[in-house]
């Protein structure tokens, strides 16, 4: 079993920055594909960013490309989402997600059904 805990959310003005962290416990961190999703009030959960189990390649939703950066620190068992140039439409609860099984593939997954473990979410609010 793996537990994911997100932190780093909060209230920020438009144009500001936040860094979300997702700490994992319970099993080896490396060799798992990971991703970030978000859900705004009244909307479905949507993909934000993801990276494969190995390698440094990443993939972003068009709405955040060029503003958000996903990264991981295997030694700290932590994944990050650096969010810059935030917009009011980025307001949502942000979730980190973990594939259910390890992999030695750089494949990146962008749908929520691809992930088996989820954090509890952290609120990000961007004021105009």
């Amino acid at each position: 079993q793996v537990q994911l805990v997100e932190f780093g959310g909060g209230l920020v003005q438009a144009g500001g920055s936040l860094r979300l962290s997702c700490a994992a416990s319970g099993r080896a961190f490396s060799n798992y594909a990971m991703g970030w999703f978000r859900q705004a009030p009244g909307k479905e959960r949507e993909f934000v960013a993801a990276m494969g189990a190995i390698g440094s390649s990443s993939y972003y939703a068009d709405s955040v490309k060029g503003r958000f950066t996903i990264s991981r620190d295997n030694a700290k068992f932590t994944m990050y989402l650096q969010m810059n140039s935030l917009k009011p439409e980025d307001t949502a609860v942000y979730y980190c997600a973990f594939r259910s099984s390890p992999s030695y593939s750089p494949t990146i997954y962008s749908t929520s059904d691809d992930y088996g473990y989820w954090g509890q979410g952290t609120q990000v609010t961007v004021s105009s």
Side-chain angles (χ1 to χ4, degrees):
Q1 190 72 10
V2 62
Q3 293 80 42
L4 302 176
V5 178
E6 305 102 335
F7 48 96
L11 174 64
V12 64
Q13 287 188 332
S17 298
L18 282 175
R19 188 177 79 159
L20 305 183
S21 300
C22 175
S25 63
R27 63 175 60 186
F29 185 83
S30 59
N31 297 118
Y32 283 84
M34 304 172 184
W36 288 94
F37 291 76
R38 68 186 182 186
Q39 186 166 19
K43 295 186 178 181
E44 293 186 352
R45 187 173 298 186
E46 66 174 2
F47 169 76
V48 175
M51 57 192 313
I54 62 172
S56 59
S57 295
S58 54
Y59 178 66
Y60 298 90
D62 288 343
S63 58
V64 307
K65 198 173 299 181
R67 300 187 297 121
F68 291 12
T69 303
I70 187 173
S71 63
R72 63 195 292 169
D73 185 335
N74 290 340
K76 295 183 178 180
F77 296 86
T78 302
M79 176 174 66
Y80 304 98
L81 184 68
Q82 178 66 43
M83 306 185 295
N84 299 328
S85 302
L86 283 161
K87 305 175 181 179
E89 52 263 44
D90 294 319
T91 295
V93 177
Y94 283 71
Y95 299 89
C96 63
F98 218 64
R99 286 277 287 175
S100 299
S101 56
S103 169
Y104 294 90
S105 167
T107 302
I108 297 172
Y109 301 88
S110 61
T111 63
S112 56
D113 288 345
D114 292 322
Y115 293 90
Y117 296 106
W118 293 83
Q120 82 288 351
T122 185
Q123 176 71 46
V124 172
T125 303
V126 184
S127 63
S128 57

